[in-house]
């Protein structure tokens, strides 16, 4: 416990420096901005802003990028409540009851409880990361290549189970992602693989290029097919602070949402997206009168909003302790860390304690800032919603081009985001979800490296993955999950969770 | 691309899920491509895996998924293919290409484009890209292009010192002697910003309160 306190005070010392406070604020501001705007997500934004962080010190850079990610979770609820459009994928559930509350003239209260719930969840998640960081890191030290391989397989299975739509398609996307990661020089033999003889493919496909193409450009193309003209809300927001009765109704959902979100967020394979859905389902099941849900129940806002924020933050845990990015945003964080010469994994905490604890402390500081950014300034964000999409996307397009060009100064990178944009558009049209592919791509290189190493150590025996207890258990969990997800009755339940 | 039209409407044919058919075909194609590209790589053994082993296994996996989707397309009813729009992808890709070939000197065979820098590439990307939306109007697009480009020039070129070409070097010769690169950058940015304001003011105001918004969020 004493360790925790001294570590956190080290962290706050770093996070409260003038520069880092400024960067955290900037990150939270940008995060809220893209969270509010539907059609701009954190993945494309962080990829665009990567070059900006070149000149910063690593702690500041990561503090800013992290702020963008969890800031987006706050901003997303504003759009969901006021316009009935989720600003981010994680605020889909908030539209159900949040917008109903707005139509009953309780928009301010919905915004207020969302922000307060998120702040509480963020605070708890910060403590969870700080408390779990050390034990998980020591766990990572007993991990050999076989365990790492099995853990990543389990993460990918999670991603399959959590993906929307057909499981077969999700599996295919994971495989395609891992396949794409094998393009380029083979690590051990130095032979070129699937490079078509093109020199810029020798180092493999650049992750930022793939991410920006599949998420930035393909999203623009998809959004162009899904725009509609409508009136922008003009309703009054009303009182922001919930009253005693509102608090009485929502404190339990906030606690439960935080708990669910934090647990799901730790899971490798992007568990964080499931948090809001799970929280909403549970609140509805527990409610005395479930019919209130969908008609402006405050519990339906408080729970999911806490869950998504808790999940967004705890999803840093696998990255910081094991070096395994659980989702595409964390993969970009890996990119940002490698640019600054930091290898993500258990050694971060011992070699760069000021980075590890500074980042954790900055999350709490950032959450406090977000409370201020979101509540009193909500009017400003609402005004942003009046920017029509046909003027927004050309700007995003140019930022994507400039951002990707300045990473490597290669015009071919710019052309490739166009190519991957078309590929991503086709994938969406064919009913594939691009997120599992990106995760497969991110984990692909690590997966292959550890597979090969484990097999060398075991002299080519595949049994090593089952014989070693930790690895065996992880694989067992993966198999059970996959089987369970394929059972017809569970599949029905899974579809219900996602369509609700 | 033309099959989407037929596939979407004619549900009585043997194909019961055109979307799965297309998805399966593309996966099988991808698997075949990967297998063909890795044909020269050694497989190795499990205790010393060659460079070709994992890609081949993955390609077989992708191919199997593709075949399963193809079979499903004939057995189970599924989604039709959504309608395509060619306008969006066309203008967006052209805009990206325009940016890529003008940002720095580019030559392909007999065609050679001098490096024009962000001052040309940025507005080109915005204006060409803007035509991807059917609601396009040139004037707001020009304001956006001339307003946002100087912002990016100052942010990336001046404040952040990123090595991105900002303006064509031939332009530097036209400027008064003794002006540094940064001064030229700032003067050009200011001129563009003024142009943006002028275009905006000369356009007059038009208010109808309706705008286009995206109806679904992006995936995370």
């Amino acid at each position: 416990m004493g360790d925790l306190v001294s570590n956190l005070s080290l962290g706050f010392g770093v996070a409260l420096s003038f520069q880092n406070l400024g960067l955290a604020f900037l990150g939270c501001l940008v995060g809220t901005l893209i969270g509010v705007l539907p059609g701009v997500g954190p993945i494309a934004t962080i990829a665009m802003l990567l070059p900006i962080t070149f000149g910063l010190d690593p702690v500041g850079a990561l503090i800013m990028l992290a702020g963008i990610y969890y800031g987006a979770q706050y901003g997303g609820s504003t759009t969901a409540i006021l316009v009935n459009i989720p600003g981010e994928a994680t605020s889909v559930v908030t539209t159900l009851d949040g917008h109903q509350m707005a139509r009953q003239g309780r928009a301010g209260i919905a915004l207020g409880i969302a922000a307060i719930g998120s702040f509480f969840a963020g605070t708890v998640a910060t403590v969870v990361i700080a408390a779990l960081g050390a034990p998980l890191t020591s766990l990572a030290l007993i991990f050999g290549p076989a365990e790492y391989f099995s853990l990543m397989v389990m993460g990918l299975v999670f991603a399959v189970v959590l993906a929307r739509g057909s499981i077969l398609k999700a599996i295919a996307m994971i495989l395609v992602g891992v396949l794409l990661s094998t393009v380029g020089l083979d690590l051990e033999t130095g032979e070129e693989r699937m490079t078509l003889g093109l020199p810029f493919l020798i180092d493999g496909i650049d992750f930022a290029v793939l991410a920006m193409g599949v998420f930035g450009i393909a999203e623009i193309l998809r959004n162009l097919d899904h725009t509609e003209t409508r009136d922008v809300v003009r309703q009054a927001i009303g009182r922001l602070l919930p009253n005693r009765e509102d608090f009485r109704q929502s404190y339990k959902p906030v606690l439960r949402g935080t708990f669910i979100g934090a647990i799901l967020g730790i899971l490798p394979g992007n568990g964080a997206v499931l948090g809001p859905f799970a929280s909403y389902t549970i609140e509805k099941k527990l409610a005395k009168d479930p019919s209130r849900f969908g008609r402006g129940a405050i519990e339906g806002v408080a729970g999911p909003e806490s869950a998504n924020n808790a999940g967004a933050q705890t999803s840093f845990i696998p990255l910081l302790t094991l070096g395994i990015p659980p989702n595409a945003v964390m993969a970009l964080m890996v990119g940002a860390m490698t640019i600054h010469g930091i290898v993500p994994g258990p050694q971060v905490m011992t070699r760069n304690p000021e980075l590890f604890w500074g980042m954790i402390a900055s999350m709490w500081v950032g959450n406090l800032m977000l409370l201020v950014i979101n509540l009193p300034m909500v009017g400003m964000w609402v005004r942003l919603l009046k920017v029509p999409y046909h003027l927004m996307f050309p700007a995003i397009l140019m930022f994507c081009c400039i951002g990707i060009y300045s990473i490597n100064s290669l015009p071919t990178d710019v052309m490739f985001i166009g190519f991957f944009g078309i590929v991503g558009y086709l994938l969406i049209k064919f009913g594939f979800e691009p997120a599992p592919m990106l995760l497969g791509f991110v984990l692909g290189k690590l997966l292959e490296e550890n597979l090969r190493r484990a097999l060398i150590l075991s002299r080519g025996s595949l049994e090593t993955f089952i014989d070693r207890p930790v690895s065996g258990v992880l694989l067992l969990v993966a198999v059970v999950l996959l089987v369970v997800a394929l059972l017809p009755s569970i599949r029905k339940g899974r579809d219900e969770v996602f369509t609700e | 691309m033309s099959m989407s039209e037929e596939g979407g409407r004619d549900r009585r044919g043997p194909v019961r899920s055109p979307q799965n058919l297309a998805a399966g075909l593309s996966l099988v194609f991808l698997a075949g491509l990967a297998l063909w590209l890795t044909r020269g790589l050694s497989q190795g053994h499990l205790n010393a895996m060659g460079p070709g082993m994992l890609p081949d296994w993955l390609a077989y996996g992708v191919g199997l998924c593709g075949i399963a989707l193809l079979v499903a397309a004939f057995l189970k009813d599924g989604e039709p293919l959504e309608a395509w729009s060619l306008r969006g992808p066309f203008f967006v890709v052209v805009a990206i290409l325009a940016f890529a070939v003008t940002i720095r000197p580019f030559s392909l065979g007999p065609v050679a484009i001098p490096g024009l820098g962000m001052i040309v590439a940025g507005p080109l990307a915005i204006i060409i890209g803007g035509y991807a939306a059917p609601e396009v109007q040139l004037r707001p697009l020009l304001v956006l292009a001339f307003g946002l480009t100087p912002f990016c020039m100052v942010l990336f070129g001046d404040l952040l010192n990123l090595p991105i070409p900002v303006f064509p070097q031939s332009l530097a010769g036209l400027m008064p002697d003794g002006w540094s690169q940064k001064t030229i950058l700032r003067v050009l940015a200011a001129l563009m910003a003024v142009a943006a304001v002028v275009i905006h003011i000369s356009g007059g105001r038009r208010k109808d309160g309706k705008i286009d918004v995206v109806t679904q969020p992006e995936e995370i």
Side-chain angles (χ1 to χ4, degrees), chain A residues 248-443:
Chain A
R248 200 188 56 73
Q249 280 182 326
S250 45
Y251 81 93
K252 277 185 189 156
V254 167
L255 286 175
R256 284 189 288 258
T258 304
F259 179 74
I260 295 166
I263 300 271
L264 288 173
I266 300 176
L267 299 180
N270 207 9
V273 285
L274 197 63
F277 293 98
S279 166
Y280 191 81
T281 317
I282 285 179
E283 291 312 324
K284 203 171 165 180
K285 287 249 159 71
L286 288 177
K288 283 196 196 100
D289 177 15
S291 66
R292 281 174 52 244
F293 280 79
R295 296 190 195 149
I298 194 165
E299 298 98 310
V301 178
E305 276 303 313
S306 314
N308 78 26
N309 207 45
Q313 266 177 259
T314 50
S315 60
F316 278 88
I317 291 180
L319 174 71
L320 289 175
T321 57
L322 302 174
I324 295 178
N327 59 36
V329 174
M330 294 303 136
L332 283 165
M333 295 284 172
V334 174
M337 286 168 122
T338 13
I339 285 170
H340 291 285
I342 296 167
V343 184
Q347 66 280 7
V348 172
M349 198 151 93
T350 44
R351 274 190 218 154
N352 310 76
E354 75 294 339
L355 176 107
F356 187 90
W357 297 106
M359 212 167 133
I360 290 172
S362 87
M363 287 182 188
W364 189 78
V365 177
N367 271 291
L368 198 61
M369 289 176 178
L370 280 165
L371 208 54
V372 180
I373 293 175
N374 275 271
L375 285 185
M377 289 163 70
V378 71
M380 195 182 94
W381 301 115
V382 175
R383 218 165 292 152
L384 264 180
L385 286 171
K386 293 179 186 161
V387 178
Y389 192 68
H390 73 258
L391 285 183
M392 204 155 78
F393 83 85
I396 301 172
L397 190 63
M398 186 187 70
F399 274 117
C400 281
C401 289
I402 296 179
I404 208 69
Y405 177 82
S406 39
I407 292 182
N408 292 327
S409 295
L410 285 175
T412 43
D413 279 357
V414 183
M415 295 180 191
F416 258 78
I417 62 168
F419 171 75
F420 282 121
I422 296 290
V423 170
Y425 183 61
L426 287 177
L427 289 179
I428 296 168
K429 288 284 176 199
F430 291 166
F432 290 112
E433 236 191 300
M437 178 179 89
L438 217 53
L439 194 66
F441 180 81
V442 167
L443 293 180

Side-chain angles (χ1 to χ4, degrees), chain B residues 16-212:
Chain B
R16 293 167 68 184
S17 169
Q19 194 192 54
N20 281 347
L21 181 76
L25 282 176
S26 52
L27 287 182
V28 170
F29 168 76
L30 193 68
L33 182 71
L35 284 176
W36 181 69
L37 285 173
T38 55
R39 68 197 180 285
L41 297 173
S42 75
Q43 292 277 331
H45 304 283
L46 275 181
N47 52 3
M49 285 169 66
M53 184 181 269
L54 191 71
D56 277 3
W57 286 2
L58 291 166
Y60 286 124
V62 172
L64 279 179
C65 290
I67 291 169
L69 280 173
L70 281 181
V71 173
F74 291 97
L75 297 180
K76 277 202 316 200
D77 283 330
E79 310 253 323
L81 277 172
E82 272 185 69
W84 296 92
S85 71
L86 283 179
R87 180 184 179 128
F90 174 77
F91 281 104
V92 167
V93 168
V94 171
I96 291 173
L97 288 179
F99 184 95
V101 299
T102 50
I103 186 78
R104 77 174 197 194
F106 177 85
S107 60
L108 186 77
V111 191
I113 301 167
L116 297 171
M118 210 194 302
I119 196 167
V120 175
L124 265 183
I126 290 186
I127 293 167
I128 300 177
Y131 276 86
E135 303 86 347
V136 63
Q137 292 161 320
L138 186 58
R139 189 185 295 271
L141 217 51
L142 283 175
V143 175
L144 185 71
F146 287 124
L148 213 54
T149 310
F151 169 76
C152 289
M153 283 160 59
V154 171
L155 178 67
F156 290 91
D158 193 354
L159 297 177
L160 293 167
N161 274 323
L162 291 180
I164 182 165
V166 175
F167 51 86
Q169 281 312 309
S170 52
L171 208 64
L174 301 175
M175 296 288 165
D177 286 339
W179 280 23
S180 71
Q181 295 279 329
K182 285 272 170 85
T183 321
I184 301 174
L185 185 157
R186 287 172 199 155
V187 170
L188 289 173
L191 284 177
M192 281 183 100
V194 170
V197 173
V198 169
I199 299 174
H200 181 67
I201 293 173
S202 67
R205 292 200 160 258
R206 192 185 56 87
K207 271 238 183 285
D208 57 2
K210 288 204 181 228
I211 61 158
D212 51 322

Side-chain angles (χ1 to χ4, degrees), chain A residues 69-147:
Chain A
Y69 181 45
Y70 56 76
Q73 313 298 326
Y74 273 78
S77 57
T78 309
T79 319
I81 290 167
L82 292 177
V83 204
N84 202 15
I85 297 167
E88 293 303 324
T90 45
S91 47
V92 176
V93 196
T94 313
T95 55
L96 299 175
D97 280 282
H99 188 61
Q100 286 304 319
M101 285 180 74
R103 295 179 72 176
Q104 294 160 13
R106 283 156 53 85
I109 294 177
L111 289 169
I113 200 73
I116 293 167
S118 298
F119 175 70
F120 175 78
T123 311
V124 173
T126 307
V127 177
V128 170
I129 301 177
L132 281 185
L136 274 178
T137 307
S138 49
L139 180 73
L141 295 176
I142 61 162
F143 268 36
E147 283 79 13

